[in-house]
Amino acid sequence: MYRRLGHIGLYARRPVRCVPLTATHCRLRLDWSREHALWTPQQWSCVMFSDESRFSLQSDSRRTFIWRAPGTRYHQENTIERHRYGGAGWLVWRGIILGSRTETCMFRV
């Protein structure tokens, strides 16, 4: 079966995991970007962006596979929405600002 599906261009791949965005989230992000599109570098120098990532220490075999054609990784039907984070691990946080950045902070969760 694997070879037959491969001949027609379908391959077993892990689905992309993403955090779901509602229509309200999308609208608010678009509104924010339109409001700030003409900001000057001086205005941006007062803004800090931050990012946090969680890493699990528990094994996750991620044995869920889907059959998809090459180049279709981010199509909606090939993604799995992830609503929450489970298990023990580490939280890594860092912030950036125009011309500078914060220290990397790691917290055990």
PDB file of all heavy atoms in Angstrom, residues 12-31:
ATOM      1  N   ALA A  12       3.463   9.306   3.699  1.00  0.00           N
ATOM      2  CA  ALA A  12       3.110   9.370   5.123  1.00  0.00           C
ATOM      3  C   ALA A  12       3.965  10.431   5.788  1.00  0.00           C
ATOM      4  O   ALA A  12       5.186  10.370   5.751  1.00  0.00           O
ATOM      5  CB  ALA A  12       3.334   8.016   5.781  1.00  0.00           C
ATOM      6  N   ARG A  13       3.331  11.405   6.382  1.00  0.00           N
ATOM      7  CA  ARG A  13       4.029  12.497   7.055  1.00  0.00           C
ATOM      8  C   ARG A  13       3.297  12.827   8.343  1.00  0.00           C
ATOM      9  O   ARG A  13       2.102  12.606   8.476  1.00  0.00           O
ATOM     10  CB  ARG A  13       4.070  13.752   6.181  1.00  0.00           C
ATOM     11  CG  ARG A  13       4.769  13.571   4.854  1.00  0.00           C
ATOM     12  CD  ARG A  13       6.281  13.486   5.051  1.00  0.00           C
ATOM     13  NE  ARG A  13       6.969  13.487   3.784  1.00  0.00           N
ATOM     14  CZ  ARG A  13       7.472  12.412   3.193  1.00  0.00           C
ATOM     15  NH1 ARG A  13       7.350  11.244   3.753  1.00  0.00           N
ATOM     16  NH2 ARG A  13       8.094  12.497   2.044  1.00  0.00           N
ATOM     17  N   ARG A  14       4.023  13.442   9.263  1.00  0.00           N
ATOM     18  CA  ARG A  14       3.389  13.925  10.486  1.00  0.00           C
ATOM     19  C   ARG A  14       2.613  15.197  10.167  1.00  0.00           C
ATOM     20  O   ARG A  14       3.116  16.062   9.460  1.00  0.00           O
ATOM     21  CB  ARG A  14       4.439  14.235  11.547  1.00  0.00           C
ATOM     22  CG  ARG A  14       5.095  13.001  12.083  1.00  0.00           C
ATOM     23  CD  ARG A  14       6.032  13.353  13.224  1.00  0.00           C
ATOM     24  NE  ARG A  14       6.723  12.154  13.647  1.00  0.00           N
ATOM     25  CZ  ARG A  14       8.029  11.999  13.609  1.00  0.00           C
ATOM     26  NH1 ARG A  14       8.799  12.970  13.189  1.00  0.00           N
ATOM     27  NH2 ARG A  14       8.565  10.881  14.001  1.00  0.00           N
ATOM     28  N   PRO A  15       1.410  15.350  10.710  1.00  0.00           N
ATOM     29  CA  PRO A  15       0.672  16.595  10.486  1.00  0.00           C
ATOM     30  C   PRO A  15       1.315  17.749  11.233  1.00  0.00           C
ATOM     31  O   PRO A  15       1.978  17.554  12.245  1.00  0.00           O
ATOM     32  CB  PRO A  15      -0.726  16.292  11.034  1.00  0.00           C
ATOM     33  CG  PRO A  15      -0.533  15.172  11.989  1.00  0.00           C
ATOM     34  CD  PRO A  15       0.656  14.384  11.513  1.00  0.00           C
ATOM     35  N   VAL A  16       1.145  18.958  10.745  1.00  0.00           N
ATOM     36  CA  VAL A  16       1.647  20.164  11.403  1.00  0.00           C
ATOM     37  C   VAL A  16       0.768  20.434  12.613  1.00  0.00           C
ATOM     38  O   VAL A  16      -0.452  20.322  12.542  1.00  0.00           O
ATOM     39  CB  VAL A  16       1.607  21.362  10.425  1.00  0.00           C
ATOM     40  CG1 VAL A  16       1.976  22.644  11.125  1.00  0.00           C
ATOM     41  CG2 VAL A  16       2.512  21.111   9.252  1.00  0.00           C
ATOM     42  N   ARG A  17       1.386  20.795  13.737  1.00  0.00           N
ATOM     43  CA  ARG A  17       0.622  21.156  14.925  1.00  0.00           C
ATOM     44  C   ARG A  17       0.583  22.669  15.042  1.00  0.00           C
ATOM     45  O   ARG A  17       1.592  23.332  14.837  1.00  0.00           O
ATOM     46  CB  ARG A  17       1.251  20.565  16.173  1.00  0.00           C
ATOM     47  CG  ARG A  17       1.157  19.070  16.202  1.00  0.00           C
ATOM     48  CD  ARG A  17       1.821  18.518  17.424  1.00  0.00           C
ATOM     49  NE  ARG A  17       1.742  17.081  17.389  1.00  0.00           N
ATOM     50  CZ  ARG A  17       1.471  16.340  18.448  1.00  0.00           C
ATOM     51  NH1 ARG A  17       1.282  16.908  19.605  1.00  0.00           N
ATOM     52  NH2 ARG A  17       1.406  15.043  18.344  1.00  0.00           N
ATOM     53  N   CYS A  18      -0.576  23.216  15.344  1.00  0.00           N
ATOM     54  CA  CYS A  18      -0.698  24.670  15.443  1.00  0.00           C
ATOM     55  C   CYS A  18      -1.672  25.036  16.546  1.00  0.00           C
ATOM     56  O   CYS A  18      -2.485  24.235  16.962  1.00  0.00           O
ATOM     57  CB  CYS A  18      -1.155  25.252  14.105  1.00  0.00           C
ATOM     58  SG  CYS A  18      -2.845  24.794  13.679  1.00  0.00           S
ATOM     59  N   VAL A  19      -1.581  26.256  17.005  1.00  0.00           N
ATOM     60  CA  VAL A  19      -2.532  26.807  17.962  1.00  0.00           C
ATOM     61  C   VAL A  19      -3.656  27.432  17.144  1.00  0.00           C
ATOM     62  O   VAL A  19      -3.401  28.227  16.238  1.00  0.00           O
ATOM     63  CB  VAL A  19      -1.862  27.867  18.855  1.00  0.00           C
ATOM     64  CG1 VAL A  19      -2.874  28.496  19.790  1.00  0.00           C
ATOM     65  CG2 VAL A  19      -0.725  27.240  19.636  1.00  0.00           C
ATOM     66  N   PRO A  20      -4.905  27.068  17.423  1.00  0.00           N
ATOM     67  CA  PRO A  20      -6.012  27.583  16.604  1.00  0.00           C
ATOM     68  C   PRO A  20      -6.241  29.079  16.817  1.00  0.00           C
ATOM     69  O   PRO A  20      -6.160  29.573  17.935  1.00  0.00           O
ATOM     70  CB  PRO A  20      -7.213  26.775  17.087  1.00  0.00           C
ATOM     71  CG  PRO A  20      -6.858  26.348  18.476  1.00  0.00           C
ATOM     72  CD  PRO A  20      -5.361  26.181  18.482  1.00  0.00           C
ATOM     73  N   LEU A  21      -6.494  29.795  15.735  1.00  0.00           N
ATOM     74  CA  LEU A  21      -6.854  31.209  15.797  1.00  0.00           C
ATOM     75  C   LEU A  21      -8.303  31.361  15.371  1.00  0.00           C
ATOM     76  O   LEU A  21      -8.705  30.842  14.329  1.00  0.00           O
ATOM     77  CB  LEU A  21      -5.968  32.041  14.874  1.00  0.00           C
ATOM     78  CG  LEU A  21      -4.509  32.195  15.277  1.00  0.00           C
ATOM     79  CD1 LEU A  21      -3.767  32.999  14.227  1.00  0.00           C
ATOM     80  CD2 LEU A  21      -4.386  32.860  16.626  1.00  0.00           C
ATOM     81  N   THR A  22      -9.066  32.074  16.172  1.00  0.00           N
ATOM     82  CA  THR A  22     -10.457  32.319  15.818  1.00  0.00           C
ATOM     83  C   THR A  22     -10.532  33.487  14.833  1.00  0.00           C
ATOM     84  O   THR A  22      -9.540  34.193  14.607  1.00  0.00           O
ATOM     85  CB  THR A  22     -11.282  32.675  17.070  1.00  0.00           C
ATOM     86  OG1 THR A  22     -10.790  33.911  17.599  1.00  0.00           O
ATOM     87  CG2 THR A  22     -11.193  31.577  18.118  1.00  0.00           C
ATOM     88  N   ALA A  23     -11.698  33.694  14.273  1.00  0.00           N
ATOM     89  CA  ALA A  23     -11.910  34.821  13.364  1.00  0.00           C
ATOM     90  C   ALA A  23     -11.656  36.139  14.097  1.00  0.00           C
ATOM     91  O   ALA A  23     -11.128  37.092  13.512  1.00  0.00           O
ATOM     92  CB  ALA A  23     -13.323  34.787  12.796  1.00  0.00           C
ATOM     93  N   THR A  24     -11.998  36.204  15.379  1.00  0.00           N
ATOM     94  CA  THR A  24     -11.756  37.411  16.176  1.00  0.00           C
ATOM     95  C   THR A  24     -10.264  37.668  16.321  1.00  0.00           C
ATOM     96  O   THR A  24      -9.810  38.806  16.179  1.00  0.00           O
ATOM     97  CB  THR A  24     -12.402  37.274  17.571  1.00  0.00           C
ATOM     98  OG1 THR A  24     -13.790  37.006  17.403  1.00  0.00           O
ATOM     99  CG2 THR A  24     -12.198  38.518  18.392  1.00  0.00           C
ATOM    100  N   HIS A  25      -9.478  36.610  16.595  1.00  0.00           N
ATOM    101  CA  HIS A  25      -8.027  36.776  16.686  1.00  0.00           C
ATOM    102  C   HIS A  25      -7.460  37.340  15.383  1.00  0.00           C
ATOM    103  O   HIS A  25      -6.644  38.266  15.393  1.00  0.00           O
ATOM    104  CB  HIS A  25      -7.335  35.426  16.959  1.00  0.00           C
ATOM    105  CG  HIS A  25      -7.516  34.918  18.340  1.00  0.00           C
ATOM    106  ND1 HIS A  25      -7.957  33.648  18.590  1.00  0.00           N
ATOM    107  CD2 HIS A  25      -7.318  35.488  19.546  1.00  0.00           C
ATOM    108  CE1 HIS A  25      -8.016  33.450  19.884  1.00  0.00           C
ATOM    109  NE2 HIS A  25      -7.643  34.551  20.488  1.00  0.00           N
ATOM    110  N   CYS A  26      -7.880  36.776  14.270  1.00  0.00           N
ATOM    111  CA  CYS A  26      -7.376  37.228  12.966  1.00  0.00           C
ATOM    112  C   CYS A  26      -7.736  38.687  12.714  1.00  0.00           C
ATOM    113  O   CYS A  26      -6.909  39.468  12.245  1.00  0.00           O
ATOM    114  CB  CYS A  26      -7.926  36.337  11.852  1.00  0.00           C
ATOM    115  SG  CYS A  26      -7.330  34.640  11.928  1.00  0.00           S
ATOM    116  N   ARG A  27      -8.968  39.072  13.033  1.00  0.00           N
ATOM    117  CA  ARG A  27      -9.406  40.448  12.814  1.00  0.00           C
ATOM    118  C   ARG A  27      -8.620  41.417  13.694  1.00  0.00           C
ATOM    119  O   ARG A  27      -8.174  42.476  13.238  1.00  0.00           O
ATOM    120  CB  ARG A  27     -10.908  40.580  13.102  1.00  0.00           C
ATOM    121  CG  ARG A  27     -11.456  41.980  12.829  1.00  0.00           C
ATOM    122  CD  ARG A  27     -12.939  42.100  13.154  1.00  0.00           C
ATOM    123  NE  ARG A  27     -13.322  41.549  14.442  1.00  0.00           N
ATOM    124  CZ  ARG A  27     -13.107  42.150  15.623  1.00  0.00           C
ATOM    125  NH1 ARG A  27     -12.501  43.309  15.678  1.00  0.00           N
ATOM    126  NH2 ARG A  27     -13.507  41.592  16.748  1.00  0.00           N
ATOM    127  N   LEU A  28      -8.411  41.059  14.960  1.00  0.00           N
ATOM    128  CA  LEU A  28      -7.661  41.925  15.872  1.00  0.00           C
ATOM    129  C   LEU A  28      -6.212  42.091  15.419  1.00  0.00           C
ATOM    130  O   LEU A  28      -5.646  43.184  15.499  1.00  0.00           O
ATOM    131  CB  LEU A  28      -7.713  41.381  17.295  1.00  0.00           C
ATOM    132  CG  LEU A  28      -9.077  41.463  17.982  1.00  0.00           C
ATOM    133  CD1 LEU A  28      -9.055  40.731  19.306  1.00  0.00           C
ATOM    134  CD2 LEU A  28      -9.501  42.912  18.160  1.00  0.00           C
ATOM    135  N   ARG A  29      -5.595  41.017  14.939  1.00  0.00           N
ATOM    136  CA  ARG A  29      -4.215  41.113  14.441  1.00  0.00           C
ATOM    137  C   ARG A  29      -4.134  42.013  13.210  1.00  0.00           C
ATOM    138  O   ARG A  29      -3.209  42.808  13.069  1.00  0.00           O
ATOM    139  CB  ARG A  29      -3.678  39.729  14.101  1.00  0.00           C
ATOM    140  CG  ARG A  29      -3.365  38.911  15.318  1.00  0.00           C
ATOM    141  CD  ARG A  29      -2.877  37.538  14.929  1.00  0.00           C
ATOM    142  NE  ARG A  29      -2.473  36.817  16.116  1.00  0.00           N
ATOM    143  CZ  ARG A  29      -1.572  35.863  16.130  1.00  0.00           C
ATOM    144  NH1 ARG A  29      -0.977  35.504  15.012  1.00  0.00           N
ATOM    145  NH2 ARG A  29      -1.258  35.261  17.231  1.00  0.00           N
ATOM    146  N   LEU A  30      -5.096  41.880  12.312  1.00  0.00           N
ATOM    147  CA  LEU A  30      -5.116  42.724  11.122  1.00  0.00           C
ATOM    148  C   LEU A  30      -5.329  44.185  11.498  1.00  0.00           C
ATOM    149  O   LEU A  30      -4.643  45.075  10.976  1.00  0.00           O
ATOM    150  CB  LEU A  30      -6.198  42.247  10.157  1.00  0.00           C
ATOM    151  CG  LEU A  30      -6.318  43.007   8.846  1.00  0.00           C
ATOM    152  CD1 LEU A  30      -5.017  42.922   8.044  1.00  0.00           C
ATOM    153  CD2 LEU A  30      -7.482  42.463   8.024  1.00  0.00           C
ATOM    154  N   ASP A  31      -6.257  44.447  12.406  1.00  0.00           N
ATOM    155  CA  ASP A  31      -6.496  45.827  12.861  1.00  0.00           C
ATOM    156  C   ASP A  31      -5.234  46.425  13.480  1.00  0.00           C
ATOM    157  O   ASP A  31      -4.872  47.567  13.211  1.00  0.00           O
ATOM    158  CB  ASP A  31      -7.642  45.878  13.884  1.00  0.00           C
ATOM    159  CG  ASP A  31      -8.991  45.560  13.270  1.00  0.00           C
ATOM    160  OD1 ASP A  31      -9.089  45.562  12.023  1.00  0.00           O
ATOM    161  OD2 ASP A  31      -9.933  45.289  14.035  1.00  0.00           O
TER     162      ASP A  31
END
